[in-house]
Amino acid sequence: MGFRYRKSINLGGGFRINLSKSGIGYSWGVKGYRVTKTANGGVRRTVSIPGTGISHVTETSGGNHENRQQNRQNESTNSNLYGQQDIENTNIETMCSDGVEDILKSANRALLLNTISTACIVIFFLLSCGTPIFLVLLAIAVAAKIYVKRSGVIDLEYEIDEEELEHIKERMRPIRHLLTCDKVWRIMQSGKVIDRKYSSGASSTVRRVACKVSDKTPFPFRSSVSAVCVKSGKENLIFLPDKLFIMKSRKIGALSYWDIESSAQRTRFVESESVPNDAQIVGTTWKYVNKSGGPDKRFKDNRELPICLYGELALKSPAGLNTDILFSNPNIQ
């Protein structure tokens, strides 16, 4: 780096400690020669002529300081949690309320045949190159899949009395509200926070995934009334007037609403992603917040974050249902 002129204060013992907002640096040495470990991980070697203030410095980089700082922040955030709990549905194949046994039996058979026909299509397609017999088998597999998709459909025909209609509308009202929301998520894990500084001041944090919400029933079901389907990853929740179907891979469960415990509430959520169009912003905070509620200035990427008011719907049952749905518009009409 060439020559430079510098005056400094020696704290004694041959060692210096430099505290700054970028980190902690150390140096040690004797008169005329000193080695410094900088806060960003680099090493600086200084050769000087005692009494003149003239020195020559060579410095090696410690790598990308911003990346290392981000890694430290991520490590701090991950180690800042305790009591994490997964929120997921278990034992789907054993979820079966009274009266739905035959429906589940037919549905599982249709899904199995559909899976087999799909696997045959893939296998015969890969083997068909240059082998005419596999082209014939491929055509048969395609025809079988079309047949399964048509004949394997389970029609759910509803006849609802006028007296029961109002009860059903009231029960389905928070569910159908999901169709009108700009964003819907499934909460997959929750945990408590040790130091709120790394969680924007929140005492708990969650891991969520975005959902697709539709009023169309997926194969193998077809309903005479509109449904509400909430899809997250490979799992699909199908809300019908009398029951909830839970589908994941080739497993299907069904629970009557009498066997489900549900609760709906409003919750304040620190939004680190884009704010949904129908969300209510009720305050702001910082990605890294100090005890007074202001920004922690030690972090360069400390941006201001909105606090949104969302709706939350929790569904549980002793049979293994454990679903927590977060939605952007909390005003259920």
Side-chain angles (χ1 to χ4, degrees):
M1 293 180 60
F3 291 89
R4 67 179 180 180
Y5 180 82
R6 177 187 178 189
K7 288 185 178 181
S8 60
I9 299 176
N10 193 338
L11 300 180
F15 291 89
R16 295 194 185 109
I17 301 175
N18 179 38
L19 302 177
S20 68
K21 63 180 181 180
S22 60
I24 303 175
Y26 302 92
S27 68
W28 61 93
V30 296
K31 286 188 176 182
Y33 182 75
R34 179 164 291 276
V35 178
T36 302
K37 183 69 177 295
T38 61
N40 65 4
V43 178
R44 182 186 304 125
R45 291 177 173 82
T46 305
V47 180
S48 62
I49 302 175
T52 64
I54 299 174
S55 64
H56 183 268
V57 179
T58 59
E59 188 168 348
T60 57
S61 173
N64 190 315
H65 169 59
E66 292 183 358
N67 287 342
R68 283 197 308 278
Q69 184 185 44
Q70 183 63 46
N71 290 336
R72 286 198 297 269
Q73 293 171 4
N74 291 338
E75 291 173 0
S76 298
T77 301
N78 293 334
S79 62
N80 194 38
L81 301 177
Y82 71 96
Q84 293 99 319
Q85 293 184 342
D86 292 332
I87 304 175
E88 58 184 1
N89 300 319
T90 59
N91 304 322
I92 294 177
E93 64 275 12
T94 63
M95 293 184 189
C96 182
S97 293
D98 293 339
V100 298
E101 296 88 353
D102 291 339
I103 295 176
L104 288 181
K105 184 177 179 180
S106 299
N108 281 304
R109 181 171 61 249
L111 284 182
L112 177 61
L113 293 175
N114 184 58
T115 301
I116 292 174
S117 62
T118 301
C120 290
I121 290 174
V122 174
I123 293 172
F124 294 147
F125 175 79
L126 294 176
L127 297 176
S128 62
C129 299
T131 310
I133 185 61
F134 288 113
L135 288 174
V136 176
L137 295 175
L138 175 60
I140 295 174
V142 172
K145 184 174 181 64
I146 295 174
Y147 176 78
V148 169
K149 281 286 190 177
R150 291 180 177 177
S151 63
V153 173
I154 300 171
D155 285 306
L156 303 174
E157 297 288 340
Y158 284 90
E159 295 181 1
I160 303 174
D161 295 336
E162 289 294 333
E163 296 179 358
E164 186 65 18
L165 187 59
E166 289 301 320
H167 295 290
I168 291 176
K169 286 182 178 180
E170 183 64 22
R171 183 169 60 216
M172 295 295 292
R173 189 165 57 91
I175 304 298
R176 298 199 63 81
H177 177 71
L178 300 178
L179 293 168
T180 67
C181 292
D182 187 50
K183 290 287 184 65
V184 176
W185 305 269
R186 280 276 302 274
I187 297 178
M188 308 305 295
Q189 188 182 69
S190 65
K192 299 295 184 181
V193 170
I194 298 174
D195 190 344
R196 296 187 181 187
K197 171 175 62 180
Y198 297 102
S199 64
S200 306
S203 60
S204 61
T205 185
V206 301
R207 179 173 64 85
R208 61 182 180 171
V209 296
C211 297
K212 294 181 179 179
V213 184
S214 169
D215 60 355
K216 305 297 183 183
T217 52
F219 180 83
F221 300 109
R222 182 168 57 199
S223 173
S224 61
V225 298
S226 61
V228 178
C229 302
V230 180
K231 181 175 177 58
S232 58
K234 295 182 179 180
E235 189 167 291
N236 209 336
L237 303 177
I238 308 168
F239 296 89
L240 287 164
D242 60 328
K243 66 178 70 67
L244 166 66
F245 284 104
I246 305 97
M247 297 178 58
K248 187 174 183 180
S249 300
R250 295 189 303 273
K251 299 177 182 179
I252 303 181
L255 292 174
S256 167
Y257 291 119
W258 299 110
D259 297 326
I260 298 174
E261 179 183 346
S262 64
S263 61
Q265 63 178 5
R266 293 184 176 188
T267 182
R268 292 163 63 93
F269 192 92
V270 179
E271 186 56 81
S272 59
E273 301 176 1
S274 60
V275 177
N277 295 328
D278 56 355
Q280 298 179 28
I281 299 177
V282 295
T284 58
T285 184
W286 300 89
K287 184 178 180 181
Y288 303 102
V289 63
N290 56 32
K291 292 182 179 179
S292 65
D296 191 328
K297 297 182 179 180
R298 294 177 299 172
F299 299 96
K300 292 183 178 180
D301 64 338
N302 196 1
R303 57 194 174 96
E304 193 173 22
L305 300 174
I307 302 174
C308 296
L309 187 63
Y310 289 157
E312 186 175 354
L313 177 65
L315 304 170
K316 298 181 182 298
S317 81
L321 180 68
N322 188 17
T323 295
D324 207 336
I325 300 174
L326 193 69
F327 46 96
S328 55
N329 184 357
N331 298 320
I332 300 176
Q333 302 298 327

